[in-house]
């Protein structure tokens, strides 16, 4: 099963949650990189990640933050193991990115899907799994 799961590939629907649980349980060093810290703390992705990673220690990197005070307040409230020193500005162009022990990455790519016309669309997130060490 691991040969099928641990391949560089696009994740299937619902697979992100299961892989996140597995990798977080077996990793010591977890890094999160988000494009906009304020947008992330208001997203469903934040809720899912904070629920699964609750109690873990990790670093958070962000490219943009419009309201630092609000973002830090929310993160301190929701993720008590994450200190202010573990939240750093980085120059990465990722919407959302997770790294586990510098071995595995999960990358989220937002995709606009037109529903009816140019004014009606939804945002869908596609997740990709990447192995760094073979």
């Amino acid at each position: 099963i691991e040969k099928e799961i641990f391949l560089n590939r696009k994740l299937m629907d619902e697979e992100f949650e299961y892989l996140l649980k597995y990798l977080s349980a077996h990793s010591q060093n977890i890094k999160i990189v988000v494009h906009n810290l304020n947008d992330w703390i208001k997203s469903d992705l934040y809720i899912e990640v904070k629920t699964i990673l609750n109690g873990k220690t990790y670093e958070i990197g962000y490219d943009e933050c419009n309201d630092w005070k609000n973002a830090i307040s929310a993160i301190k409230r929701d993720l008590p193991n994450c200190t202010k020193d573990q939240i750093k500005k980085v120059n990465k162009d990722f919407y959302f990115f997770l790294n586990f022990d510098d071995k595995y990455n999960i990358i989220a790519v937002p995709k606009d899907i037109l529903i009816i016309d140019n004014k009606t669309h939804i945002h869908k997130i596609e997740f990709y799994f990447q192995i760094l060490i073979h």
Side-chain angles (χ1 to χ4, degrees):
I1 292 175
E2 284 187 2
K3 286 182 181 182
E4 294 296 319
I5 293 173
F6 292 114
L7 296 172
N8 291 332
R9 63 191 174 83
K10 179 180 174 183
L11 298 179
M12 297 180 289
D13 291 340
E14 308 298 323
E15 193 176 13
F16 167 72
E17 180 182 339
Y18 295 109
L19 195 54
L20 178 59
K21 286 179 184 177
Y22 177 82
L23 291 174
S24 66
H26 294 87
S27 299
Q28 298 299 318
N29 185 15
I30 301 170
K31 297 174 190 163
I32 303 169
V33 177
V34 298
H35 175 69
N36 186 301
L37 195 59
N38 297 108
D39 291 346
W40 180 58
I41 63 170
K42 297 174 188 169
S43 71
D44 291 339
L45 189 55
Y46 174 73
I47 294 168
E48 188 170 13
V49 168
K50 78 174 185 172
T51 302
I52 293 170
L53 296 182
N54 191 14
K56 291 293 226 176
T57 302
Y58 44 88
E59 297 175 15
I60 298 175
Y62 66 91
D63 190 39
E64 294 179 15
C65 183
N66 305 325
D67 185 353
W68 173 256
K69 186 177 177 183
N70 184 41
I72 292 300
S73 176
I75 291 169
K76 285 174 117 179
R77 178 186 67 240
D78 297 334
L79 305 167
N81 286 1
C82 189
T83 66
K84 192 175 176 180
D85 295 337
Q86 293 168 295
I87 304 168
K88 299 175 181 162
K89 174 128 175 76
V90 295
N91 292 322
K92 300 281 186 185
D93 195 21
F94 289 111
Y95 172 75
F96 178 79
F97 169 88
L98 284 160
N99 176 273
F100 301 89
D101 290 335
D102 294 324
K103 294 179 184 177
Y104 308 107
N105 292 336
I106 296 178
I107 302 165
V109 178
K111 186 176 183 179
D112 277 340
I113 300 173
L114 295 177
I115 301 298
I116 298 171
D117 57 26
N118 288 341
K119 296 179 184 177
T120 310
H121 63 273
I122 61 170
H123 297 285
K124 181 177 183 339
I125 298 174
E126 295 180 340
F127 294 97
Y128 295 86
F129 182 67
Q130 180 182 38
I131 298 174
L132 302 174
I133 299 174
H134 295 286

